[in-house]
Amino acid sequence: MKSYQINISNDAASLLTARKAFDENILPLKIEDGYFHVGLSDKNNQRLINDISFHTGLKIKPVELPAEIILSRLREIYPAEESKKNGQSEIISESAVNESSNVEFVNQIISNAVKAGASDIHFESFEHAYRIRYRVDGHLREIYNLSKARSAAIISRLKIMANLDISEKRRPQDGKIRFPHNNNNIDIRVSSLPTSFGEKIVLRILNRSQIQIELSNLGLEKDQLELLQKKINLPYGMILVTGPTGSGKTTTLYAALQRIHSIEKNILTIEDPIEYNLEGINQSNVKPEIGYDFASALRSFLRQDPDVIMVGEIRDRETAEIAIRSSLTGHLVFSTLHTNDSISAITRLIDMGIEPFLVASSIKLIIAQRLVRKLCDCKTKIEKTNDEFSDLPQGFYERSSCTKCSYTGYSGRTAIFEFFDISENLSDLISQKASPGIIKKLAVENGFKTLKDAGLEKIKLGLTTYDEVLRETTL
């Protein structure tokens, strides 16, 4: 009898449940160059090859092997499973208990996350457990706590979906997945990170159907919406949006671009990365590995006859200088900064080395924003009972719980905004390098409202709670 030297990788074995392998007599061999190599007793069985490809999401390279060799090796790699073909009792593995392969299980995790409105999925390896969490409305929730035995298979599947190197476990990797869901394609960013007990993988779900890219849906107050509408229709100048990561800055900029987009305007964006594709707008992604960063992209943009430019983030003096000078030479420029409030953006730019008179003459509006969770419809109205809520009206809403909000009391999020409109007298103060305190004092006299003020307004309207506003502002 012919001798067969067969090496089987754990990554390949994890793609099939024992039940599937035994029922169809499939021997998983290895994954190489995007192909799943499998042993079959008939390598021309196209129906089975198509089924395996559909089941795993990979192209299949069949290797013909005798059926008895396949069965013998299957018993070695799936020792806890007995073949139904032999009429013996079946010992069900954990994946079989769930009646899903790792492929189906991962697909279900992602699908459920999209349905729940999650922004991220965390896959985390610990010494004796494997945890999966969703971030919903800005907060992490544990969804699964599995045995550590499942981690390798799930990690391998995610890496295959994202076209990452499944053999590389020592270095971080980044990739992308396009996931089909309800007749749409959901874009997902994938990040892997080596940790003490295995790799942690985070999926960022970019679901365009859930993003509110219309200004009127962002949570702006009436006067804020009117002011922003006025500013984004200026022929030149700079509009900045500030706030921490995850505060909705990009969504606000996208909504502004969508509002002013027309066939008469040439709009260019440089982003890191592109979050969503905007119809009719020219979007470009930074590529630091080839020297294509925000600053170099801006230089190229100026040779592209732009009307409106969006810079994903101002991170350094060079980018700031080019963006500001562009805004002074007939272009409307949108960008973001990481500062705690709107007025701090002035100080940040000056600290970067930008001359105060350039800051004063270029910037037309600075917006600071935060995201707060919205109260579910199950909310209850309560009365003020002590001085803790002295800033609030008599009678406001607090959260309750129901199945709709998964008993959290919250459902969805809204933004609170701080608008710093740089009028002529404020521009003079900035040119004179006045302190932030003096600038804020004059701004308040001009009608400036802080993030705290915006948060209190949302509480009065019954949209959110004191705790949520306190968490995101300095109440």
Side-chain angles (χ1 to χ4, degrees), residues 58-81:
L58 293 172
K59 292 179 284 187
I60 306 302
K61 187 160 284 189
V63 177
E64 192 157 313
L65 293 172
E68 63 271 18
I69 294 294
I70 293 174
L71 182 58
S72 173
R73 293 308 305 271
L74 286 177
R75 286 171 174 162
E76 292 175 21
I77 62 176
Y78 300 113
E81 183 92 10

mmCIF file of all heavy atoms in Angstrom, residues 58-81:
data_model
loop_
_atom_site.group_PDB
_atom_site.id
_atom_site.type_symbol
_atom_site.label_atom_id
_atom_site.label_comp_id
_atom_site.label_asym_id
_atom_site.label_seq_id
_atom_site.Cartn_x
_atom_site.Cartn_y
_atom_site.Cartn_z
ATOM 1 N N LEU A 58 -13.054 30.501 1.346
ATOM 2 C CA LEU A 58 -11.729 30.419 0.719
ATOM 3 C C LEU A 58 -11.784 29.658 -0.604
ATOM 4 O O LEU A 58 -12.691 28.869 -0.854
ATOM 5 C CB LEU A 58 -10.753 29.689 1.652
ATOM 6 C CG LEU A 58 -10.375 30.402 2.957
ATOM 7 C CD1 LEU A 58 -9.562 29.458 3.828
ATOM 8 C CD2 LEU A 58 -9.600 31.666 2.674
ATOM 9 N N LYS A 59 -10.781 29.917 -1.445
ATOM 10 C CA LYS A 59 -10.612 29.104 -2.653
ATOM 11 C C LYS A 59 -10.026 27.759 -2.233
ATOM 12 O O LYS A 59 -9.226 27.682 -1.294
ATOM 13 C CB LYS A 59 -9.678 29.819 -3.631
ATOM 14 C CG LYS A 59 -10.284 31.093 -4.204
ATOM 15 C CD LYS A 59 -9.335 31.798 -5.150
ATOM 16 C CE LYS A 59 -8.252 32.530 -4.388
ATOM 17 N NZ LYS A 59 -7.410 33.372 -5.269
ATOM 18 N N ILE A 60 -10.444 26.698 -2.923
ATOM 19 C CA ILE A 60 -10.086 25.336 -2.508
ATOM 20 C C ILE A 60 -9.078 24.709 -3.471
ATOM 21 O O ILE A 60 -9.214 24.825 -4.691
ATOM 22 C CB ILE A 60 -11.341 24.437 -2.429
ATOM 23 C CG1 ILE A 60 -12.409 25.087 -1.530
ATOM 24 C CG2 ILE A 60 -10.974 23.045 -1.920
ATOM 25 C CD1 ILE A 60 -11.955 25.382 -0.124
ATOM 26 N N LYS A 61 -8.065 24.071 -2.899
ATOM 27 C CA LYS A 61 -7.122 23.287 -3.701
ATOM 28 C C LYS A 61 -7.223 21.835 -3.223
ATOM 29 O O LYS A 61 -6.718 21.483 -2.155
ATOM 30 C CB LYS A 61 -5.701 23.824 -3.534
ATOM 31 C CG LYS A 61 -4.707 23.161 -4.475
ATOM 32 C CD LYS A 61 -3.453 24.007 -4.646
ATOM 33 C CE LYS A 61 -3.703 25.186 -5.563
ATOM 34 N NZ LYS A 61 -2.456 25.901 -5.927
ATOM 35 N N PRO A 62 -7.912 20.963 -3.990
ATOM 36 C CA PRO A 62 -8.116 19.573 -3.543
ATOM 37 C C PRO A 62 -6.898 18.687 -3.816
ATOM 38 O O PRO A 62 -6.198 18.850 -4.819
ATOM 39 C CB PRO A 62 -9.309 19.121 -4.385
ATOM 40 C CG PRO A 62 -9.215 19.935 -5.638
ATOM 41 C CD PRO A 62 -8.600 21.255 -5.247
ATOM 42 N N VAL A 63 -6.656 17.757 -2.898
ATOM 43 C CA VAL A 63 -5.605 16.751 -3.053
ATOM 44 C C VAL A 63 -6.276 15.384 -2.933
ATOM 45 O O VAL A 63 -6.989 15.130 -1.955
ATOM 46 C CB VAL A 63 -4.518 16.892 -1.957
ATOM 47 C CG1 VAL A 63 -3.481 15.785 -2.085
ATOM 48 C CG2 VAL A 63 -3.865 18.266 -2.024
ATOM 49 N N GLU A 64 -6.090 14.524 -3.917
ATOM 50 C CA GLU A 64 -6.775 13.225 -3.887
ATOM 51 C C GLU A 64 -6.062 12.266 -2.951
ATOM 52 O O GLU A 64 -4.852 12.048 -3.052
ATOM 53 C CB GLU A 64 -6.869 12.632 -5.288
ATOM 54 C CG GLU A 64 -7.820 11.436 -5.342
ATOM 55 C CD GLU A 64 -8.362 11.193 -6.742
ATOM 56 O OE1 GLU A 64 -8.800 12.168 -7.408
ATOM 57 O OE2 GLU A 64 -8.343 10.034 -7.161
ATOM 58 N N LEU A 65 -6.819 11.708 -2.001
ATOM 59 C CA LEU A 65 -6.293 10.752 -1.032
ATOM 60 C C LEU A 65 -7.289 9.606 -0.885
ATOM 61 O O LEU A 65 -8.501 9.807 -1.051
ATOM 62 C CB LEU A 65 -6.100 11.426 0.337
ATOM 63 C CG LEU A 65 -5.032 12.517 0.454
ATOM 64 C CD1 LEU A 65 -5.137 13.196 1.822
ATOM 65 C CD2 LEU A 65 -3.641 11.922 0.273
ATOM 66 N N PRO A 66 -6.816 8.395 -0.541
ATOM 67 C CA PRO A 66 -7.740 7.280 -0.311
ATOM 68 C C PRO A 66 -8.675 7.579 0.854
ATOM 69 O O PRO A 66 -8.276 8.191 1.851
ATOM 70 C CB PRO A 66 -6.805 6.105 0.022
ATOM 71 C CG PRO A 66 -5.490 6.480 -0.570
ATOM 72 C CD PRO A 66 -5.406 7.973 -0.456
ATOM 73 N N ALA A 67 -9.905 7.117 0.750
ATOM 74 C CA ALA A 67 -10.911 7.391 1.772
ATOM 75 C C ALA A 67 -10.483 6.876 3.133
ATOM 76 O O ALA A 67 -10.736 7.517 4.166
ATOM 77 C CB ALA A 67 -12.250 6.769 1.367
ATOM 78 N N GLU A 68 -9.807 5.694 3.154
ATOM 79 C CA GLU A 68 -9.416 5.129 4.448
ATOM 80 C C GLU A 68 -8.319 5.966 5.117
ATOM 81 O O GLU A 68 -8.247 6.054 6.350
ATOM 82 C CB GLU A 68 -8.972 3.664 4.294
ATOM 83 C CG GLU A 68 -7.750 3.443 3.423
ATOM 84 C CD GLU A 68 -8.091 3.254 1.939
ATOM 85 O OE1 GLU A 68 -9.225 3.629 1.546
ATOM 86 O OE2 GLU A 68 -7.247 2.714 1.225
ATOM 87 N N ILE A 69 -7.464 6.601 4.298
ATOM 88 C CA ILE A 69 -6.411 7.471 4.843
ATOM 89 C C ILE A 69 -7.053 8.725 5.452
ATOM 90 O O ILE A 69 -6.695 9.169 6.541
ATOM 91 C CB ILE A 69 -5.400 7.871 3.750
ATOM 92 C CG1 ILE A 69 -4.631 6.643 3.254
ATOM 93 C CG2 ILE A 69 -4.445 8.948 4.256
ATOM 94 C CD1 ILE A 69 -3.726 6.026 4.300
ATOM 95 N N ILE A 70 -8.033 9.283 4.719
ATOM 96 C CA ILE A 70 -8.733 10.476 5.221
ATOM 97 C C ILE A 70 -9.405 10.169 6.547
ATOM 98 O O ILE A 70 -9.268 10.913 7.522
ATOM 99 C CB ILE A 70 -9.779 10.960 4.187
ATOM 100 C CG1 ILE A 70 -9.064 11.465 2.924
ATOM 101 C CG2 ILE A 70 -10.661 12.059 4.791
ATOM 102 C CD1 ILE A 70 -9.998 11.832 1.791
ATOM 103 N N LEU A 71 -10.119 9.026 6.622
ATOM 104 C CA LEU A 71 -10.834 8.664 7.845
ATOM 105 C C LEU A 71 -9.870 8.447 9.004
ATOM 106 O O LEU A 71 -10.120 8.885 10.137
ATOM 107 C CB LEU A 71 -11.673 7.404 7.595
ATOM 108 C CG LEU A 71 -12.526 6.927 8.768
ATOM 109 C CD1 LEU A 71 -13.494 8.008 9.231
ATOM 110 C CD2 LEU A 71 -13.276 5.653 8.374
ATOM 111 N N SER A 72 -8.753 7.791 8.714
ATOM 112 C CA SER A 72 -7.766 7.515 9.760
ATOM 113 C C SER A 72 -7.212 8.805 10.344
ATOM 114 O O SER A 72 -7.093 8.962 11.564
ATOM 115 C CB SER A 72 -6.630 6.663 9.179
ATOM 116 O OG SER A 72 -5.589 6.527 10.123
ATOM 117 N N ARG A 73 -6.874 9.757 9.470
ATOM 118 C CA ARG A 73 -6.306 11.021 9.956
ATOM 119 C C ARG A 73 -7.361 11.875 10.647
ATOM 120 O O ARG A 73 -7.055 12.604 11.590
ATOM 121 C CB ARG A 73 -5.665 11.790 8.800
ATOM 122 C CG ARG A 73 -4.428 11.137 8.191
ATOM 123 C CD ARG A 73 -3.382 10.764 9.249
ATOM 124 N NE ARG A 73 -2.989 11.880 10.088
ATOM 125 C CZ ARG A 73 -1.972 12.725 9.797
ATOM 126 N NH1 ARG A 73 -1.262 12.541 8.690
ATOM 127 N NH2 ARG A 73 -1.681 13.710 10.615
ATOM 128 N N LEU A 74 -8.617 11.804 10.195
ATOM 129 C CA LEU A 74 -9.679 12.554 10.862
ATOM 130 C C LEU A 74 -9.842 12.089 12.304
ATOM 131 O O LEU A 74 -10.074 12.902 13.212
ATOM 132 C CB LEU A 74 -11.011 12.397 10.112
ATOM 133 C CG LEU A 74 -11.149 13.159 8.789
ATOM 134 C CD1 LEU A 74 -12.493 12.843 8.139
ATOM 135 C CD2 LEU A 74 -10.999 14.656 8.995
ATOM 136 N N ARG A 75 -9.708 10.773 12.531
ATOM 137 C CA ARG A 75 -9.829 10.250 13.890
ATOM 138 C C ARG A 75 -8.703 10.759 14.788
ATOM 139 O O ARG A 75 -8.853 10.895 15.994
ATOM 140 C CB ARG A 75 -9.839 8.727 13.858
ATOM 141 C CG ARG A 75 -11.156 8.151 13.346
ATOM 142 C CD ARG A 75 -11.060 6.662 13.111
ATOM 143 N NE ARG A 75 -12.369 6.108 12.761
ATOM 144 C CZ ARG A 75 -12.530 4.922 12.178
ATOM 145 N NH1 ARG A 75 -11.477 4.183 11.862
ATOM 146 N NH2 ARG A 75 -13.740 4.486 11.904
ATOM 147 N N GLU A 76 -7.557 11.076 14.156
ATOM 148 C CA GLU A 76 -6.424 11.601 14.924
ATOM 149 C C GLU A 76 -6.624 13.070 15.291
ATOM 150 O O GLU A 76 -6.317 13.476 16.420
ATOM 151 C CB GLU A 76 -5.131 11.447 14.113
ATOM 152 C CG GLU A 76 -4.683 10.019 13.913
ATOM 153 C CD GLU A 76 -3.456 9.943 13.005
ATOM 154 O OE1 GLU A 76 -2.751 10.963 12.880
ATOM 155 O OE2 GLU A 76 -3.213 8.869 12.434
ATOM 156 N N ILE A 77 -7.117 13.848 14.345
ATOM 157 C CA ILE A 77 -7.214 15.289 14.614
ATOM 158 C C ILE A 77 -8.516 15.684 15.303
ATOM 159 O O ILE A 77 -8.621 16.770 15.869
ATOM 160 C CB ILE A 77 -7.026 16.124 13.326
ATOM 161 C CG1 ILE A 77 -8.117 15.807 12.302
ATOM 162 C CG2 ILE A 77 -5.650 15.918 12.748
ATOM 163 C CD1 ILE A 77 -8.033 16.693 11.052
ATOM 164 N N TYR A 78 -9.534 14.789 15.239
ATOM 165 C CA TYR A 78 -10.780 15.036 15.979
ATOM 166 C C TYR A 78 -11.049 13.829 16.885
ATOM 167 O O TYR A 78 -12.005 13.081 16.687
ATOM 168 C CB TYR A 78 -11.964 15.216 15.023
ATOM 169 C CG TYR A 78 -11.826 16.362 14.048
ATOM 170 C CD1 TYR A 78 -11.691 16.127 12.679
ATOM 171 C CD2 TYR A 78 -11.862 17.688 14.482
ATOM 172 C CE1 TYR A 78 -11.580 17.175 11.774
ATOM 173 C CE2 TYR A 78 -11.747 18.742 13.592
ATOM 174 C CZ TYR A 78 -11.612 18.477 12.240
ATOM 175 O OH TYR A 78 -11.508 19.518 11.359
ATOM 176 N N PRO A 79 -10.212 13.616 17.907
ATOM 177 C CA PRO A 79 -10.330 12.397 18.725
ATOM 178 C C PRO A 79 -11.619 12.320 19.532
ATOM 179 O O PRO A 79 -12.028 11.232 19.921
ATOM 180 C CB PRO A 79 -9.113 12.490 19.664
ATOM 181 C CG PRO A 79 -8.792 13.947 19.722
ATOM 182 C CD PRO A 79 -9.112 14.478 18.356
ATOM 183 N N ALA A 80 -12.246 13.465 19.774
ATOM 184 C CA ALA A 80 -13.471 13.438 20.592
ATOM 185 C C ALA A 80 -14.715 13.159 19.771
ATOM 186 O O ALA A 80 -15.817 13.125 20.293
ATOM 187 C CB ALA A 80 -13.634 14.765 21.332
ATOM 188 N N GLU A 81 -14.545 12.956 18.464
ATOM 189 C CA GLU A 81 -15.723 12.785 17.585
ATOM 190 C C GLU A 81 -15.671 11.433 16.890
ATOM 191 O O GLU A 81 -14.634 11.052 16.334
ATOM 192 C CB GLU A 81 -15.701 13.893 16.537
ATOM 193 C CG GLU A 81 -16.886 13.890 15.619
ATOM 194 C CD GLU A 81 -17.986 14.783 16.148
ATOM 195 O OE1 GLU A 81 -17.746 15.523 17.090
ATOM 196 O OE2 GLU A 81 -19.083 14.713 15.599
#
